[in-house]
């Protein structure tokens, strides 16, 4: 079912990617604001973190003071410590303000996407981001209190944030992608999304040094309004399709007396998403594999949120980076990860590695990258670490393709809703947790957050090893010999005939999962999916 051209989707994704890059500059703005207002305020550094610095840390601070001076950053350790703590605490409460509405609305909107229509659900996060940007500008111009940052975060949470946007796009893309090419397409378009983001972050870094932040936030507001306009007028509504499907199911229930007797309660409808985990729906081997994939993905997503403090980490001693440094590093990071991740995927698949083995190798690189980052002190070490980091994001890219191979087509909407909900819960909890940890350890042990994340990265590695043993050694059931866990490696085709598509990168390490949207979906395929949904609903 194609309701919009690939080129229109590319334009919307481009606008959303640029807007996301601008939104990510908020950390720089907050830190700079606190650093400049330190002499004017009487707040003190939290006494719980004031202890004698170890001698080697004092040596680091003294050795890198000259670097901060060269970057026109005042070397006031008390001011920097205070600004770091205040920034981390502010982001902690911002994440707390948005976590509950994001979790609830992600679940509700994901569950009701078929009834509300994909276009409507896609617009909601854009409206929420528009309100957020408007509040940010009001805070800057009117010097409003800090709680307005929390109100803006709460509003974005009510709209579902970017999680819902990615969920809807994945629904559009997955059902229009050939199954045996899905994994490679997710990786490839994730890499393309990084490259597009690299251009935005590079330009933004230099623009901040030239003009500051305010014009950028006005630009982001305009981009959001333009995106809403395009979605409203160029994305065809698909609500009528789901309404027809619902009427068909109601008619079937009326004509079939057994369905009336097995009617479900209203509350049970909200737990339909979790029914994809039921063992009775598929073989025991596939059910255990599905559960292990979700556990690995959840733990990996949680650990990846430790990078939320990377910006503050780089603004502090020993780096003392400016907006230009951050823009350059972000651009090089996104380009290198985009190229090397595809190259690594191609090499691994050519030697016959399956998706599970690729994820295991990825987690090993992920652990090494975190340890490397924790002990980095020089700029060149940050750039060298990108080589290791490039091969650490395959779990995020391959989770949906691996899950889709274990499910029937009519189960994918609920499964993707569940994955999106897991992603949302792990992110909001992780953002709060790691910001809270960083605010309380930045004075004495600023690298403790990354060390903790490095040790935690063993958890998703363990789940993937268990998944590999299940796929290799657990026997298939006699009545389900055809339902095996897919261990066939997927080639990464490099084609120049694909329509231009631009993804949305929400992290330096983990690009938003996107793949190819085919324009060849016909009315017959719609009828086939309608039959799948119809048959599924009549089973209850």
């Amino acid at each position: 079912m194609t309701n919009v051209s690939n080129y229109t989707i590319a334009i919307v994704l481009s606008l959303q990617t640029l807007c996301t890059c601008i939104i990510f500059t908020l950390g720089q703005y907050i830190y700079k604001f606190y650093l400049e207002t330190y002499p004017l305020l009487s707040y003190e550094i939290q006494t719980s973190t004031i202890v004698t610095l170890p001698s080697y840390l004092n040596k680091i601070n003294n050795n890198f003071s000259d670097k901060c001076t060269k970057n026109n950053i005042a070397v006031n350790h008390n001011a920097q410590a205070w600004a770091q703590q205040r920034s981390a605490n502010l982001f902690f409460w911002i994440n707390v303000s948005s976590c509950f509405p994001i979790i609830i609305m992600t679940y509700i909107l994901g569950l009701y996407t078929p009834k509300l229509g994909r276009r409507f659900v896609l617009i909601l996060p854009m409206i929420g981001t528009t309100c957020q940007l408007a509040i940010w500008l009001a805070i800057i111009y009117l010097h409003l209190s800090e709680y307005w940052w929390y109100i803006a975060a709460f509003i974005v949470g009510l709209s579902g944030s970017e999680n819902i946007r990615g969920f809807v796009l994945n629904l559009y893309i997955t059902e229009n992608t050939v199954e045996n090419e899905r994994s490679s397409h997710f990786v490839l378009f994730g890499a393309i999304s990084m490259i597009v983001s690299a251009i935005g972050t590079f330009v933004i870094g230099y623009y901040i040094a030239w003009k500051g932040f305010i014009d950028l936030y006005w630009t982001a507001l305009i981009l959001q309004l333009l995106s809403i306009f395009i979605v409203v007028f160029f994305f065809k509504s698909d609500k009528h399709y789901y309404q027809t499907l619902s009427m068909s199911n109601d008619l079937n229930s009326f004509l079939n007396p057994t369905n009336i007797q097995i009617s479900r309660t209203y509350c049970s409808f909200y737990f339909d998403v979790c029914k994809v985990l039921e063992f009775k729906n598929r073989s025991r081997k596939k059910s255990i594999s599905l559960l292990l994939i979700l556990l690995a993905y959840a733990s990996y997503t949680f650990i990846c949120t430790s990078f939320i403090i990377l910006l503050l980490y780089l603004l502090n001693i020993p780096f003392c980076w400016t907006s230009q440094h951050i823009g350059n590093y972000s651009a090089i990071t996104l380009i290198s990860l985009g190229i090397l991740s595809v190259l690594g995927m191609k090499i691994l698949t050519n030697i016959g590695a399956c998706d599970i083995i690729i994820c295991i190798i990825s987690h090993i690189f992920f652990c090494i990258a975190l340890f490397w980052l924790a002990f980095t002190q020089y700029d060149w070490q940050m750039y060298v670490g990108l080589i290791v980091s490039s091969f650490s994001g395959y779990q995020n890219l391959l989770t949906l393709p691996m899950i889709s191979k274990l499910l029937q087509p009519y189960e994918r909407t609920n499964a993707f809703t569940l994955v999106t909900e897991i992603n949302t819960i792990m992110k909001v909890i992780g953002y709060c947790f790691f910001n809270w940890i960083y605010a309380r350890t930045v004075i004495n042990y600023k690298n403790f957050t990354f060390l903790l994340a490095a040790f935690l990265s063993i958890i998703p590695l363990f789940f993937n090893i268990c998944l590999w043993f299940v796929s290799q050694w657990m026997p298939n059931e006699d009545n389900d010999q055809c339902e095996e866990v897919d261990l066939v490696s997927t080639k990464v085709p490099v084609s120049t005939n694909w329509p231009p598509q631009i993804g949305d990168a929400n992290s330096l390490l983990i690009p938003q999962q996107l793949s190819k949207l085919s324009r060849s979906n016909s009315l017959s395929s719609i009828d086939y999916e309608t039959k799948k949904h119809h048959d599924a609903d009549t089973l209850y």
Side-chain angles (χ1 to χ4, degrees):
M1 178 175 59
T2 302
N3 294 321
V4 62
S5 70
N6 292 332
Y7 300 101
T8 305
I9 294 176
I11 293 173
V12 173
L13 292 175
S14 301
L15 296 175
Q16 291 298 301
T17 300
L18 292 175
C19 185
T20 301
C21 293
I22 295 174
I23 289 175
F24 285 162
T25 65
L26 180 64
Q28 298 182 58
Y29 174 81
I30 294 296
Y31 178 74
K32 182 179 179 181
F33 171 79
Y34 282 134
L35 198 61
E36 291 176 351
T37 57
Y38 172 75
L40 305 178
L41 299 174
S42 59
Y43 296 108
E44 296 181 357
I45 302 174
Q46 296 178 9
T47 56
S48 60
T49 58
I50 298 181
V51 296
T52 304
L53 289 175
S55 59
Y56 73 92
L57 286 181
N58 281 320
K59 183 178 179 180
I60 290 175
N61 290 339
N62 293 331
N63 291 341
F64 290 93
S65 296
D66 293 339
K67 180 180 178 181
C68 296
T69 304
K70 291 179 181 178
N71 291 338
N72 296 322
I73 298 176
V75 184
N76 185 330
H77 298 306
N78 290 332
Q80 286 188 330
W82 180 83
Q84 288 276 323
Q85 284 187 336
R86 294 283 292 179
S87 300
N89 279 325
L90 177 63
F91 284 112
F92 167 75
W93 289 110
I94 286 176
N95 291 319
V96 169
S97 302
S98 63
C99 66
F100 291 108
I102 284 180
I103 293 173
I104 295 172
M105 293 306 298
T106 298
Y107 187 81
I108 293 176
L109 291 176
L111 196 62
Y112 278 95
T113 294
K115 293 188 177 182
L116 297 175
R118 297 176 185 177
R119 184 180 69 172
F120 176 78
V121 176
L122 183 61
I123 292 175
L124 284 181
M126 299 179 184
I127 296 176
T129 305
T130 301
C131 296
Q132 180 190 48
L133 290 166
I135 294 176
W136 286 5
L137 290 170
I139 294 172
I140 295 172
Y141 281 106
L142 303 178
H143 306 287
L144 301 178
S145 302
E146 283 188 359
Y147 68 84
W148 282 99
W149 296 109
Y150 312 148
I151 294 175
F154 183 81
I155 293 175
V156 171
L158 289 178
S159 68
S161 191
E162 72 275 359
N163 300 289
I164 286 295
R165 184 182 65 202
F167 163 73
V168 175
L169 291 175
N170 281 328
L171 287 180
Y172 274 119
I173 292 167
T174 301
E175 66 181 24
N176 290 282
T177 306
V178 180
E179 181 174 322
N180 59 0
E181 297 180 354
R182 190 167 297 139
S183 296
S184 59
H185 283 181
F186 270 56
V187 174
L188 182 60
F189 284 99
I192 294 175
S193 70
M194 286 186 182
I195 296 175
V196 173
S197 298
I199 300 174
T201 54
F202 177 80
V203 174
I204 288 171
Y206 282 89
Y207 189 87
I208 291 174
W210 179 43
K211 287 287 188 179
F213 297 89
I214 299 178
D215 291 343
L216 287 175
Y217 297 147
W218 278 111
T219 302
L221 182 62
I222 294 173
L223 292 177
Q224 284 295 328
L225 294 174
L226 184 59
S227 298
I228 294 173
F229 175 84
I230 294 175
V231 172
V232 170
F233 291 99
F234 294 93
F235 279 62
K236 295 180 181 179
S237 176
D238 56 355
K239 185 177 180 181
H240 66 280
Y241 160 71
Y242 296 106
Q243 288 177 340
T244 304
L245 176 61
S246 177
M247 293 174 59
S248 175
N249 293 333
D250 293 341
L251 180 60
N252 181 78
S253 299
F254 177 76
L255 296 177
N256 193 343
T258 59
N259 288 337
I260 300 177
Q261 298 175 0
I262 315 177
S263 60
R264 297 173 293 165
T265 63
Y266 181 79
C267 293
S268 66
F269 176 72
Y270 292 98
F271 297 96
D272 283 349
V273 172
C274 299
K275 289 187 177 181
V276 296
L277 299 177
E278 291 183 348
F279 277 45
K280 66 180 182 180
N281 292 339
R282 60 192 59 82
S283 68
R284 185 167 176 264
K285 180 177 181 178
K286 295 184 73 171
S287 298
I288 294 176
S289 299
L290 179 62
L291 182 61
L292 289 173
I293 292 173
L294 292 176
L295 289 174
Y297 176 74
S299 56
Y300 174 76
T301 303
F302 175 80
I303 298 167
C304 285
T305 58
S306 62
F307 287 93
I308 192 67
I309 58 98
L310 180 60
L311 178 61
L312 295 177
Y313 189 76
L314 296 175
L315 292 172
N316 198 7
I317 293 176
F319 300 102
C320 294
W321 278 10
T322 63
S323 60
Q324 294 100 317
H325 290 98
I326 294 173
N328 292 337
Y329 178 76
S330 299
I332 295 175
T333 298
L334 292 167
I335 293 175
S336 63
L337 294 185
I339 296 174
L340 294 178
S341 63
V342 174
L343 180 62
M345 183 71 174
K346 188 173 181 63
I347 293 174
L348 291 172
T349 53
N350 283 338
I351 64 177
C354 63
D355 289 347
I356 302 174
I357 296 298
I358 292 174
C359 289
I360 292 175
I361 296 174
S362 175
H363 287 302
I364 295 174
F365 278 100
F366 185 49
C367 183
I368 297 173
L370 287 168
F371 275 114
W372 180 274
L373 181 60
F375 293 104
T376 296
Q377 297 183 13
Y378 297 92
D379 292 359
W380 66 268
Q381 293 174 332
M382 290 295 301
Y383 287 96
V384 172
L386 296 178
I387 299 176
V388 180
S389 301
S390 299
F391 310 108
S392 63
Y394 293 133
Q395 178 71 63
N396 187 68
L397 294 169
L398 296 179
T399 294
L400 288 182
M402 291 169 66
I403 288 176
S404 65
K405 295 174 183 178
L406 301 174
L407 302 174
Q408 297 297 325
Y410 63 84
E411 295 180 301
R412 288 172 182 167
T413 298
N414 284 344
F416 283 13
T417 302
L418 180 61
V419 171
T420 304
E421 187 67 16
I422 292 174
N423 179 276
T424 302
I425 293 173
M426 291 297 104
K427 279 186 176 180
V428 296
I429 295 176
Y431 289 156
C432 295
F433 175 75
F434 287 111
N435 270 313
W436 184 84
I437 291 292
Y438 184 74
R440 281 146 186 82
T441 59
V442 63
I443 304 300
N444 301 295
Y445 306 102
K446 65 191 297 288
N447 63 344
F448 176 80
T449 304
F450 292 119
L451 287 174
L452 177 62
F455 285 108
L456 292 176
S457 64
I458 299 175
I459 298 175
L461 174 62
F462 170 77
F463 285 131
N464 274 279
I465 293 175
C466 293
L467 178 62
W468 184 82
F469 276 104
V470 168
S471 64
Q472 289 291 319
W473 303 108
M474 179 174 287
N476 295 311
E477 299 178 7
D478 294 337
N479 60 346
D480 200 15
Q481 291 291 335
C482 62
E483 293 189 354
E484 299 182 8
V485 179
D486 187 7
L487 293 177
V488 180
S489 59
T490 306
K491 300 293 183 181
V492 181
V494 180
S495 173
T496 58
N497 297 323
W498 292 344
Q501 300 238 5
I502 302 177
D504 178 19
N506 291 337
S507 172
L508 295 181
L509 291 179
I510 305 97
Q512 183 68 27
Q513 300 146 338
L514 295 170
S515 73
K516 185 180 178 182
L517 176 62
S518 174
R519 303 181 67 178
S520 60
N521 195 20
S522 62
L523 183 61
S524 61
S525 63
I526 297 176
D527 295 335
Y528 172 78
E529 289 296 320
T530 303
K531 183 179 182 299
K532 287 288 187 181
H533 284 279
H534 179 273
D535 293 341
D537 287 340
T538 55
L539 292 177
Y540 294 105

